[in-house]
């Protein structure tokens, strides 16, 4: 039976590739890459660097599929994402059926950890349910940008006995989530932290974590928000793209059993 390994490759630093991931990379016959086009060439290059660095004495192929565009004009966000996922599933189904022989192993290299804001597993689930060529899926966890962020700021994600929520910029835009003092925000194209009412919150922000372009800023939101907004805009202009993540923290004055 065909095997598909979904391999987490860390969030930007090739040294974040785990020993388990290296062993998995060395079992792969065909690496599948969904290509979005032009802008994030650096991310594609990093994947190739990982293969060059870690795959030893093994012939493999890299097969490219065209990543369909998402309809960013649609007002119904969830419907647009669903539609995009179905079209990506079409591409993946074709890749697996046409490019992988029986008994061969294919892989998708996933940024960070496949369990966090990544659609590869859901897409493969959909492909499997459609009942085309049968395949088995294996997952190798990776170091997520959230772990990388916490490490670079030398902080934990939660306070003693407290909860932490991982969410998106879109959701933070609706306000600070209930019942948590620590919130990790990903996929924020609009610097939602700058609009927060919680004036006393702290922020631990990181962009391009693990890469030579890494930028880190931390401090009270009220004091550093403008600097982050300006740094972010400048870096995005210079590089053409940005990936940033941040932890927002409301200090708990005592352990209150929440
Ligand atoms: C589609 S999600 C993928 C998350 C990934 N699976 C992970 O575990 O980190 C993309 C978001 O992850 C965050 N991200 C990924 N890599 C990053 C990096 N090197 N530096 C900062 N943020 C990063 C950003 O918030 C970005 O918008």
């Amino acid at each position: 039976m065909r095997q598909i390994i979904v391999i987490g490759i860390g969030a930007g630093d090739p040294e974040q590739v785990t020993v388990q991931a290296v062993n998995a990379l060395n079992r792969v016959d065909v690496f599948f890459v969904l290509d979005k086009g032009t802008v994030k060439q650096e991310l594609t290059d990093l994947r190739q660097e990982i293969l060059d660095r870690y795959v030893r004495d093994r012939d493999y192929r890299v097969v490219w599929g065209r990543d369909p565009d998402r309809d960013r004009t649609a007002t119904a966000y969830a419907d647009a994402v669903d539609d995009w996922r179905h079209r990506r599933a079409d591409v993946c189904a074709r890749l697996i059926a046409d490019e992988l022989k029986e008994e061969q192993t294919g892989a998708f290299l996933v940024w960070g950890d496949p369990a966090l804001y990544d659609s590869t597993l859901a897409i493969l689930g959909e492909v499997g349910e459609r009942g085309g060529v049968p395949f088995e899926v294996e997952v190798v966890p990776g170091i997520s940008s959230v772990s990388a962020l916490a490490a670079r700021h030398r902080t934990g994600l939660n306070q003693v006995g407290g909860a932490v929520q991982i969410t998106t910029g879109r959701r933070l835009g609706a306000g600070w989530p209930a019942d948590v003092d620590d919130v990790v925000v990903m996929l924020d194209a609009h610097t939602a932290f700058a609009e927060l009412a919680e004036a006393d919150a702290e922020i631990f922000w990181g962009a391009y974590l693990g890469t030579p372009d890494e930028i880190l800023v931390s401090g009270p939101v009220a004091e550093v928000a403008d600097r982050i907004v300006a740094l972010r805009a400048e870096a995005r202009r210079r590089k053409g793209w940005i990936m940033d993540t941040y932890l927002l923290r409301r200090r708990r004055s005592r352990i209150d059993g929440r």
Side-chain angles (χ1 to χ4, degrees):
M1 166 127 46
R2 292 169 176 82
Q3 305 283 321
I4 302 287
I5 323 180
V6 179
I7 307 175
I9 56 168
D13 181 347
E15 297 205 346
Q16 287 174 3
V17 176
T18 66
V19 174
Q20 193 179 20
V22 171
N23 289 337
L25 293 172
N26 281 281
R27 288 165 43 209
V28 174
D29 301 296
V30 184
F31 290 96
F32 296 119
V33 182
L34 293 190
D35 177 27
K36 278 194 205 311
T38 48
V39 186
K40 293 190 184 169
Q41 182 61 39
E42 280 171 79
L43 304 188
T44 305
D45 292 347
L46 182 86
R47 286 187 167 86
Q48 187 58 52
E49 185 188 334
I50 285 172
L51 298 186
D52 294 344
R53 202 196 264 216
Y54 296 119
V55 179
R56 290 279 162 261
D57 305 323
R58 184 171 179 88
D59 284 335
Y60 63 81
R61 289 190 302 133
V62 177
V63 173
W64 298 78
R66 176 78 178 96
D67 198 359
D69 292 325
R70 198 171 97 202
D71 180 2
R72 290 177 192 276
T73 59
T75 40
Y77 175 77
D79 289 348
V81 171
D82 273 353
D83 168 64
W84 184 48
R85 194 170 277 187
H86 296 322
R87 286 184 292 122
R88 295 182 104 194
D90 294 341
V91 176
C92 290
R94 257 198 316 277
L95 289 175
I96 293 168
D98 296 350
E99 302 290 347
L100 205 59
K101 298 196 186 84
E102 238 350 298
E103 308 307 322
Q104 276 195 320
T105 299
F108 290 89
L109 304 186
V110 170
W111 199 253
D113 181 41
L116 202 53
Y117 290 114
D118 185 89
S119 52
T120 309
L121 293 173
I123 288 167
L124 289 174
E126 179 171 334
V127 175
E129 278 166 20
R130 289 181 185 178
V133 296
F135 58 90
E136 275 172 1
V137 176
E138 180 183 331
V139 181
V140 176
I143 294 178
S144 76
S145 53
V146 178
S147 303
L149 176 80
R152 294 297 289 133
H153 282 288
R154 293 172 287 191
T155 184
L157 293 173
N158 61 286
Q159 297 169 69
V160 181
V164 57
Q165 184 171 122
I166 302 176
T167 190
T168 63
R170 177 180 287 264
R171 285 183 178 276
L172 186 74
W176 192 292
D179 296 332
V180 285
D181 290 311
D182 291 85
V183 184
V184 175
V185 183
M186 307 173 78
L187 294 161
D188 182 4
H190 301 293
T191 56
F193 59 85
E195 309 300 326
L196 281 177
E198 278 77 0
D200 57 344
E202 277 177 273
I203 185 167
F204 301 84
W205 178 80
Y208 313 107
L209 290 158
T211 76
D213 295 304
E214 181 177 274
I215 317 171
L216 300 171
V217 176
S218 63
V221 175
E223 286 175 27
V224 298
D226 288 351
R227 183 149 67 94
I228 295 174
V229 170
L231 278 170
R232 191 181 188 283
E234 190 283 320
R236 189 165 195 277
R237 220 176 9 253
R238 179 167 38 87
K239 286 179 66 67
W241 60 277
I242 189 161
M243 282 204 294
D244 60 335
T245 305
Y246 51 92
L247 167 68
L248 291 166
R249 168 161 295 156
R250 245 175 355 206
R251 289 276 170 203
R252 295 171 71 189
S253 51
R254 63 192 171 84
I255 301 172
D256 55 14
R258 262 195 288 167

Short mmCIF file of all heavy atoms in Angstrom, two decimals, residues 228-257:
data_model
loop_
_atom_site.label_atom_id
_atom_site.label_comp_id
_atom_site.label_asym_id
_atom_site.label_seq_id
_atom_site.Cartn_x
_atom_site.Cartn_y
_atom_site.Cartn_z
N ILE A 228 6.25 47.78 16.68
CA ILE A 228 6.04 46.50 15.97
C ILE A 228 5.32 46.76 14.64
O ILE A 228 5.70 46.21 13.61
CB ILE A 228 5.23 45.51 16.85
CG1 ILE A 228 6.03 45.13 18.09
CG2 ILE A 228 4.87 44.26 16.04
CD1 ILE A 228 5.26 44.27 19.10
N VAL A 229 4.30 47.60 14.68
CA VAL A 229 3.54 47.89 13.45
C VAL A 229 4.48 48.45 12.38
O VAL A 229 4.46 48.04 11.21
CB VAL A 229 2.37 48.86 13.73
CG1 VAL A 229 1.74 49.35 12.44
CG2 VAL A 229 1.31 48.19 14.61
N ALA A 230 5.37 49.35 12.79
CA ALA A 230 6.29 49.97 11.82
C ALA A 230 7.32 48.96 11.32
O ALA A 230 7.58 48.86 10.11
CB ALA A 230 6.98 51.17 12.48
N LEU A 231 7.89 48.16 12.25
CA LEU A 231 8.89 47.15 11.85
C LEU A 231 8.28 46.14 10.90
O LEU A 231 8.88 45.72 9.91
CB LEU A 231 9.39 46.39 13.10
CG LEU A 231 10.47 47.03 13.93
CD1 LEU A 231 10.64 46.26 15.24
CD2 LEU A 231 11.79 47.03 13.16
N ARG A 232 7.05 45.75 11.22
CA ARG A 232 6.36 44.74 10.42
C ARG A 232 6.12 45.26 9.00
O ARG A 232 6.36 44.55 8.02
CB ARG A 232 5.03 44.42 11.11
CG ARG A 232 4.33 43.22 10.55
CD ARG A 232 3.02 42.98 11.26
NE ARG A 232 2.48 41.71 10.83
CZ ARG A 232 1.89 41.52 9.68
NH1 ARG A 232 1.72 42.52 8.83
NH2 ARG A 232 1.45 40.32 9.34
N ALA A 233 5.65 46.50 8.92
CA ALA A 233 5.35 47.07 7.59
C ALA A 233 6.63 47.19 6.78
O ALA A 233 6.65 46.88 5.58
CB ALA A 233 4.69 48.44 7.76
N GLU A 234 7.71 47.61 7.43
CA GLU A 234 8.97 47.80 6.71
C GLU A 234 9.52 46.45 6.22
O GLU A 234 9.94 46.31 5.07
CB GLU A 234 9.97 48.51 7.63
CG GLU A 234 11.24 48.99 6.95
CD GLU A 234 12.23 47.88 6.68
OE1 GLU A 234 12.41 46.99 7.54
OE2 GLU A 234 12.84 47.88 5.58
N ALA A 235 9.47 45.44 7.10
CA ALA A 235 10.00 44.12 6.73
C ALA A 235 9.17 43.50 5.61
O ALA A 235 9.70 42.89 4.67
CB ALA A 235 10.00 43.20 7.96
N ARG A 236 7.89 43.69 5.68
CA ARG A 236 6.99 43.12 4.66
C ARG A 236 7.27 43.76 3.30
O ARG A 236 7.29 43.09 2.27
CB ARG A 236 5.55 43.36 5.08
CG ARG A 236 4.55 42.65 4.24
CD ARG A 236 3.19 42.65 4.93
NE ARG A 236 2.34 41.68 4.30
CZ ARG A 236 1.64 41.93 3.21
NH1 ARG A 236 1.70 43.12 2.65
NH2 ARG A 236 0.89 41.00 2.66
N ARG A 237 7.49 45.08 3.34
CA ARG A 237 7.80 45.79 2.09
C ARG A 237 9.11 45.28 1.50
O ARG A 237 9.23 44.98 0.33
CB ARG A 237 7.93 47.29 2.41
CG ARG A 237 7.31 48.18 1.37
CD ARG A 237 7.31 49.65 1.66
NE ARG A 237 8.06 50.09 2.81
CZ ARG A 237 7.51 50.50 3.96
NH1 ARG A 237 6.20 50.49 4.11
NH2 ARG A 237 8.26 50.93 4.95
N ARG A 238 10.10 45.13 2.38
CA ARG A 238 11.45 44.75 1.94
C ARG A 238 11.48 43.34 1.37
O ARG A 238 12.08 43.08 0.33
CB ARG A 238 12.42 44.87 3.14
CG ARG A 238 13.85 44.49 2.86
CD ARG A 238 14.77 44.95 4.01
NE ARG A 238 14.18 44.82 5.33
CZ ARG A 238 14.22 43.71 6.08
NH1 ARG A 238 14.84 42.64 5.64
NH2 ARG A 238 13.66 43.67 7.28
N LYS A 239 10.80 42.39 2.04
CA LYS A 239 10.90 40.99 1.64
C LYS A 239 9.74 40.52 0.76
O LYS A 239 9.82 39.50 0.10
CB LYS A 239 10.96 40.09 2.88
CG LYS A 239 12.31 40.17 3.58
CD LYS A 239 12.36 39.30 4.82
CE LYS A 239 12.27 37.82 4.54
NZ LYS A 239 13.43 37.28 3.82
N GLY A 240 8.64 41.27 0.79
CA GLY A 240 7.49 40.88 -0.02
C GLY A 240 6.54 39.94 0.71
O GLY A 240 5.47 39.62 0.22
N TRP A 241 6.92 39.46 1.88
CA TRP A 241 6.05 38.58 2.67
C TRP A 241 6.50 38.65 4.13
O TRP A 241 7.63 39.07 4.41
CB TRP A 241 6.11 37.13 2.18
CG TRP A 241 7.48 36.52 2.26
CD1 TRP A 241 8.48 36.66 1.33
CD2 TRP A 241 8.01 35.71 3.31
NE1 TRP A 241 9.60 35.98 1.74
CE2 TRP A 241 9.34 35.37 2.95
CE3 TRP A 241 7.51 35.21 4.51
CZ2 TRP A 241 10.16 34.58 3.76
CZ3 TRP A 241 8.33 34.42 5.31
CH2 TRP A 241 9.63 34.11 4.92
N ILE A 242 5.61 38.24 5.00
CA ILE A 242 6.00 38.18 6.42
C ILE A 242 5.25 37.04 7.11
O ILE A 242 4.12 36.71 6.73
CB ILE A 242 5.73 39.52 7.15
CG1 ILE A 242 6.35 39.49 8.56
CG2 ILE A 242 4.25 39.86 7.20
CD1 ILE A 242 6.55 40.84 9.19
N MET A 243 5.91 36.42 8.06
CA MET A 243 5.21 35.48 8.96
C MET A 243 5.57 35.91 10.37
O MET A 243 6.75 35.98 10.71
CB MET A 243 5.70 34.05 8.72
CG MET A 243 5.07 33.44 7.49
SD MET A 243 5.03 31.66 7.55
CE MET A 243 6.75 31.30 7.50
N ASP A 244 4.57 36.24 11.15
CA ASP A 244 4.84 36.63 12.53
C ASP A 244 3.81 36.01 13.47
O ASP A 244 2.71 35.64 13.06
CB ASP A 244 4.90 38.15 12.68
CG ASP A 244 3.60 38.84 12.29
OD1 ASP A 244 2.84 38.28 11.48
OD2 ASP A 244 3.35 39.94 12.79
N THR A 245 4.24 35.86 14.69
CA THR A 245 3.43 35.21 15.73
C THR A 245 3.68 35.98 17.02
O THR A 245 4.77 36.53 17.19
CB THR A 245 3.91 33.75 15.93
OG1 THR A 245 3.88 33.09 14.68
CG2 THR A 245 3.04 32.98 16.90
N TYR A 246 2.69 36.02 17.90
CA TYR A 246 2.96 36.68 19.18
C TYR A 246 2.16 36.08 20.31
O TYR A 246 1.11 35.46 20.12
CB TYR A 246 2.73 38.19 19.10
CG TYR A 246 1.41 38.64 18.53
CD1 TYR A 246 0.31 38.88 19.35
CD2 TYR A 246 1.26 38.85 17.16
CE1 TYR A 246 -0.90 39.32 18.83
CE2 TYR A 246 0.05 39.29 16.63
CZ TYR A 246 -1.02 39.51 17.47
OH TYR A 246 -2.22 39.94 16.94
N LEU A 247 2.73 36.26 21.50
CA LEU A 247 2.07 35.87 22.74
C LEU A 247 1.63 37.15 23.44
O LEU A 247 2.43 38.07 23.60
CB LEU A 247 3.06 35.09 23.63
CG LEU A 247 2.67 34.87 25.09
CD1 LEU A 247 1.47 33.92 25.20
CD2 LEU A 247 3.86 34.30 25.87
N LEU A 248 0.35 37.20 23.83
CA LEU A 248 -0.15 38.31 24.63
C LEU A 248 -0.36 37.80 26.04
O LEU A 248 -0.91 36.70 26.24
CB LEU A 248 -1.48 38.80 24.08
CG LEU A 248 -1.41 39.52 22.72
CD1 LEU A 248 -2.80 39.65 22.13
CD2 LEU A 248 -0.74 40.88 22.87
N ARG A 249 0.06 38.57 27.02
CA ARG A 249 -0.01 38.10 28.42
C ARG A 249 -0.59 39.18 29.31
O ARG A 249 -0.14 40.32 29.30
CB ARG A 249 1.40 37.73 28.89
CG ARG A 249 1.50 37.52 30.39
CD ARG A 249 2.75 36.74 30.74
NE ARG A 249 2.65 35.40 30.17
CZ ARG A 249 3.71 34.64 29.88
NH1 ARG A 249 4.92 35.07 30.11
NH2 ARG A 249 3.54 33.44 29.39
N ARG A 250 -1.62 38.75 30.06
CA ARG A 250 -2.13 39.60 31.15
C ARG A 250 -1.55 39.02 32.40
O ARG A 250 -1.79 37.85 32.70
CB ARG A 250 -3.65 39.47 31.20
CG ARG A 250 -4.36 40.71 30.88
CD ARG A 250 -5.85 40.64 30.80
NE ARG A 250 -6.50 39.36 30.93
CZ ARG A 250 -7.69 39.08 30.41
NH1 ARG A 250 -8.34 39.98 29.73
NH2 ARG A 250 -8.25 37.91 30.59
N ARG A 251 -0.77 39.78 33.14
CA ARG A 251 -0.14 39.24 34.36
C ARG A 251 -1.21 38.88 35.38
O ARG A 251 -2.11 39.68 35.64
CB ARG A 251 0.80 40.27 34.99
CG ARG A 251 2.05 40.48 34.21
CD ARG A 251 3.11 39.45 34.53
NE ARG A 251 4.21 39.59 33.56
CZ ARG A 251 5.08 38.64 33.24
NH1 ARG A 251 5.00 37.46 33.80
NH2 ARG A 251 6.03 38.86 32.38
N ARG A 252 -1.09 37.70 35.95
CA ARG A 252 -2.02 37.30 37.02
C ARG A 252 -1.38 37.67 38.33
O ARG A 252 -0.27 37.27 38.62
CB ARG A 252 -2.28 35.81 36.96
CG ARG A 252 -2.98 35.42 35.69
CD ARG A 252 -3.03 33.94 35.51
NE ARG A 252 -3.95 33.31 36.45
CZ ARG A 252 -4.03 31.99 36.61
NH1 ARG A 252 -3.26 31.19 35.93
NH2 ARG A 252 -4.88 31.48 37.46
N SER A 253 -2.07 38.43 39.15
CA SER A 253 -1.47 38.90 40.39
C SER A 253 -1.44 37.79 41.44
O SER A 253 -0.66 37.81 42.36
CB SER A 253 -2.22 40.12 40.94
OG SER A 253 -3.58 39.81 40.97
N ARG A 254 -2.32 36.80 41.33
CA ARG A 254 -2.32 35.70 42.29
C ARG A 254 -2.88 34.47 41.57
O ARG A 254 -3.52 34.58 40.52
CB ARG A 254 -3.18 36.04 43.50
CG ARG A 254 -4.63 36.24 43.14
CD ARG A 254 -5.42 36.85 44.27
NE ARG A 254 -6.74 37.22 43.80
CZ ARG A 254 -7.76 36.40 43.72
NH1 ARG A 254 -7.65 35.15 44.11
NH2 ARG A 254 -8.93 36.80 43.27
N ILE A 255 -2.64 33.31 42.18
CA ILE A 255 -3.23 32.09 41.60
C ILE A 255 -4.65 32.03 42.12
O ILE A 255 -4.88 31.86 43.32
CB ILE A 255 -2.42 30.85 42.00
CG1 ILE A 255 -1.00 31.03 41.48
CG2 ILE A 255 -3.05 29.61 41.43
CD1 ILE A 255 -0.06 29.97 41.97
N ASP A 256 -5.62 32.21 41.24
CA ASP A 256 -7.00 32.32 41.71
C ASP A 256 -7.83 31.09 41.40
O ASP A 256 -9.05 31.12 41.50
CB ASP A 256 -7.64 33.57 41.10
CG ASP A 256 -7.54 33.56 39.58
OD1 ASP A 256 -7.22 32.48 39.02
OD2 ASP A 256 -7.78 34.61 38.96
N GLY A 257 -7.16 30.00 41.03
CA GLY A 257 -7.88 28.75 40.84
C GLY A 257 -8.61 28.64 39.53
O GLY A 257 -9.30 27.67 39.28
#
